[in-house]
Structures are given as C-alpha cells and as structure tokens.
Amino acid sequence: MKNKFLLCMVILLCTISSTHAQNFTKGSITTLDNSLHEGRISIDYKTQKVVLKKNLKATTYSFDKIKSIVLGNLSLDKQNIDNTNYFVSAIESGKGTLYKINEKQYLITVDNGKNAVIDLQDSNAKIPGTLAVLFEDCNTIRDLLNAEDNFNEAALQKIITTYNSCSYSAYAPTEREVKNANTHNTDQASFYIGLGGGLNSVSFFESSDTESLAAGQFTIGVIASPSFFGPIQGNLFVTLEGNVSLSGDNDFGNTDAPVSFSVNTFRALLGLEYQFNKTGKIKPFIGVSGGVTSDSFEGNVDGLAFDISGGNPIVAPRIGARFALPNKKNIGVSLTYIAEYENNLSFPAGDIIVPLIVNSEYFTLGVNYYF
C-alpha cells in the first residue's frame, strides 16, 4: 500500500510539473459544436494541441476540434496557412496581412503565397532578413527594415502598412544600398607567380672585396588591398610572398684560401607597396618588405668539403610597374634590392672547426604575373 501511495504521488507530481511547464493564460475555447469551455489555456503549435486547465483538471483539444480561442482580452480565430492551423487576431490587412498569435509571435502572410512567423525574441539581425524575403517586390521597404532597431507590434504594423501602399516592382538595389555597397567595397586581392634573375655580391669575413654570384629566382605570393584602407584602397597593398633563389657552383678568388660553393636561398617576405595611377594601364609602384632568409651552402674551403646552412632577417626595398592586360590580369616588372646581411658559419673538419663568414647583398630583376 505504501509503495502504491508513493507511485501515485510521483505520477501526480510529474503531471503537475509538466502542466506548469507550459504557459497558461486565462481564457476560453469554443469548439466546433459551439460549446464554450473556460479556464486557463496553453497553445502548443508543435503538437497542434490546446490544453485547457480547470479545477486541477487538464483537458487536451486538437486544433481541428476548435473553432476559436480567447486569451485574456485577445480573440483568436483559426486560420489555415499552407496546411498549418494558426489561432490569430488580424491587425492589418491588405496585400500583406499581419496577425497576432500572442504577445511575442506574429504571423505575416503575403498574396504571393509567402508567409512567416515572426518571433520578437529573435535577434534584430534575423528579422529584417526574413521580412525582406517576404516583401521582395517592394524595394523601398528595405531601407525601413534596415533602419528599425526595435521590432515590436507597432513597428510590424508600420512595416505592413508601408508594404501595402508600395509601388511594387522587381528587385533593384535602393540608393542607400548602393551607397553602402560602395562604402563597404570588397577587398582587392590577387595571387602572383614570377621568375627572375639577379646577382649576389659575396664577400668573406671583414673583407670589402666582393665577387658576383649569378642566381635564378622563382616567386609565388599574394597581394591585397583591404576595403578598410578607404580612399587609398587600390593604391596601398599588402604583400606576402615566398621565393627560392638558386645559384650554380662558383669558384671565388676574393678570399685568402680557395673557396668554391653553390647556394640555395629560401625567403619569406611580408611588405607594403604603394601603387600610383591605380586606374591606368601602367601602374608604377614602390615598396618595401621584411622577412627572413635561409641559405644553404654546399662546397669546399681549401679542399675541405662542407654542406651547411645559415639565415638572417632581411629588408628588401623594391621599385617597378604593373601593366594591365586585355584579360584584366596584370604583368609586373620589379627591381628588388636585399641589403647586405651576414651568415656566420662554421663546419667541422676532423678535429678542428673551420670558420666561414659569408656576406651577401642581392639585386634581382623579376617578372610577375598577377591573376
């Protein structure tokens, strides 16, 4: 008996808990046979059912058994929209009609067959987009939607009234949208690849005596002018590139001991370029980049073989010009100077460590294709 009593209490508590979890409002239901039932009412659109609570008794009605509902002072009639039943109160009618479902939800229908439920608890960023789709044949209303920052019943009624008196037409951007589009331009960006050749002026240790080493270069990169640059967008660009410089084996005569090596150089550079005449076919530019280099040396000093690597931060100013092509791409020519930097190297040869300090200074002429 005790266990049965506890079981009944659990069932009763669960029933009461589930009933209280719903939002009940004092009102009445009129069924299809015109019977009036009063009590506290909750409408569940997910299950298409209405719960009437009276004297601790809960009665459930399906939507198809109900003719109308009164919630407080709000009278709701049944409307079937796209095979879905709603209990609503009409606020504004015309080509677009505004119905009130409850204090937070509204139903909008349009003669073209579109409809949507507007929940005022949604973010103000979502509601304008939903309404713009509903009212796509009214261009002028979008400025009103974008300017509204407090969507409530009065705001929705104003929007419906505006729509119903609109001069309907196919979609076209409004003057304000055109202005905003121009203000918030998309970023300008291009990838580029290039080939080049140059000379590396090489000296050793503290000597000022240099000798040139020819090298070929391959470049890949991206260049962009973000929209937040404002009026200088299209003039000022950010560049990010990587390049590889390869030189053949060379015998140097500007050092005390015989030295011979080849060098492969890998660089990563981030920089700025300022382009003149941004709307012309010929666009001169100046720029400067900074980054790091990794140099791999393979050769020998006085017959002692080595294969060693070094690296250093570098600065690379450049000048050049880009030329507009008929396919709306560009080809560019540039001269880049990499200021002198030092590789302080050493390598083992038996029981001794052989020092090798190599100073490098580059001049490179390159051709890039921007796409």
Side-chain angles (χ1 to χ4, degrees):
M1 179 65 70
K2 183 177 179 180
N3 290 337
K4 289 183 179 180
F5 175 76
L6 290 174
L7 180 60
C8 290
M9 289 296 294
V10 170
I11 294 173
L12 178 61
L13 288 173
C14 290
T15 303
I16 293 173
S17 174
S18 62
T19 303
H20 279 285
Q22 298 169 296
N23 294 320
F24 285 89
T25 303
K26 186 176 180 180
S28 64
I29 294 172
T30 300
T31 56
L32 295 181
D33 60 2
N34 290 321
S35 298
L36 183 66
H37 305 273
E38 297 181 333
R40 300 183 66 80
I41 297 168
S42 175
I43 304 174
D44 189 341
Y45 280 96
K46 290 183 179 179
T47 61
Q48 294 278 290
K49 292 181 179 180
V50 176
V51 178
L52 175 70
K53 181 181 174 185
K54 185 176 182 180
N55 298 328
L56 297 180
K57 180 182 178 181
T59 305
T60 301
Y61 299 86
S62 61
F63 279 12
D64 58 3
K65 303 296 184 183
I66 299 172
K67 182 178 181 181
S68 62
I69 298 174
V70 175
L71 292 179
N73 297 321
L74 183 63
S75 297
L76 304 175
D77 296 317
K78 184 162 64 174
Q79 291 281 347
N80 186 277
I81 310 294
D82 282 348
N83 297 319
T84 300
N85 289 317
Y86 295 92
F87 289 95
V88 294
S89 175
I91 297 175
E92 187 77 23
S93 299
K95 184 174 181 179
T97 301
L98 175 66
Y99 298 99
K100 184 172 184 176
I101 299 174
N102 53 49
E103 295 300 324
K104 294 296 182 182
Q105 291 181 308
Y106 293 80
L107 171 66
I108 296 176
T109 64
V110 185
D111 283 356
N112 61 13
K114 293 184 178 181
N115 63 84
V117 173
I118 303 299
D119 192 331
L120 299 186
Q121 297 180 95
D122 287 340
S123 69
N124 281 345
K126 178 180 178 180
I127 295 175
T130 301
L131 296 178
V133 173
L134 284 178
F135 307 139
E136 63 180 357
D137 56 349
C138 181
N139 291 303
T140 56
I141 204 171
R142 293 198 301 276
D143 284 342
L144 177 61
L145 297 178
N146 293 328
E148 184 60 57
D149 58 3
N150 182 26
F151 285 92
N152 51 29
E153 182 175 312
L156 292 177
Q157 187 171 2
K158 179 181 177 182
I159 290 167
I160 293 292
T161 301
T162 302
Y163 176 71
N164 287 337
S165 60
C166 184
S167 297
Y168 307 103
S169 62
Y171 172 82
T174 66
E175 182 179 348
R176 179 176 177 178
E177 288 171 336
V178 171
K179 182 178 179 181
N180 287 341
N182 290 333
T183 301
H184 299 90
N185 247 337
T186 54
D187 298 339
Q188 298 178 20
S190 299
F191 291 97
Y192 61 91
I193 56 175
L195 295 173
L199 295 176
N200 176 9
S201 295
V202 180
S203 63
F204 299 93
F205 298 95
E206 301 299 326
S207 174
S208 60
D209 188 10
T210 63
E211 189 167 324
S212 294
L213 176 64
Q217 180 173 289
F218 172 76
T219 299
I220 184 170
V222 61
I223 182 169
S225 186
S227 59
F228 62 77
F229 280 177
I232 60 172
Q233 184 186 25
N235 290 119
L236 186 63
F237 288 83
V238 179
T239 62
L240 177 64
E241 73 173 47
N243 59 57
V244 180
S245 177
L246 307 174
S247 72
D249 193 58
N250 188 75
D251 295 322
F252 294 92
N254 58 331
T255 183
D256 295 337
V259 176
S260 175
F261 63 72
S262 63
V263 57
N264 297 331
T265 299
F266 303 87
R267 306 185 188 100
L269 298 168
L270 176 65
L272 290 174
E273 288 185 5
Y274 189 86
Q275 177 179 272
F276 303 92
N277 192 27
K278 64 181 176 181
T279 60
K281 293 184 179 294
I282 301 176
K283 307 165 187 176
F285 67 85
I286 59 173
V288 63
S289 298
V292 293
T293 180
S294 175
D295 301 333
S296 296
F297 300 87
E298 184 176 359
N300 66 82
V301 175
D302 202 16
L304 302 174
F306 61 81
D307 186 353
I308 51 180
S309 297
N312 231 308
I314 56 174
V315 177
R318 69 180 57 180
I319 59 171
R322 280 184 277 276
F323 303 89
L325 299 176
N327 62 356
K328 297 184 179 180
K329 310 302 182 183
N330 288 272
I331 192 165
V333 178
S334 64
L335 177 64
T336 303
Y337 167 67
I338 297 178
E340 183 177 312
Y341 63 93
E342 178 185 278
N343 275 299
N344 193 344
L345 309 170
S346 62
F347 62 94
D351 295 331
I352 63 171
I353 300 297
V354 179
L356 180 64
I357 297 177
V358 181
N359 302 296
S360 298
E361 182 182 28
Y362 284 85
F363 291 88
T364 302
L365 182 65
V367 177
N368 294 330
Y369 177 67
Y370 299 82
F371 57 96

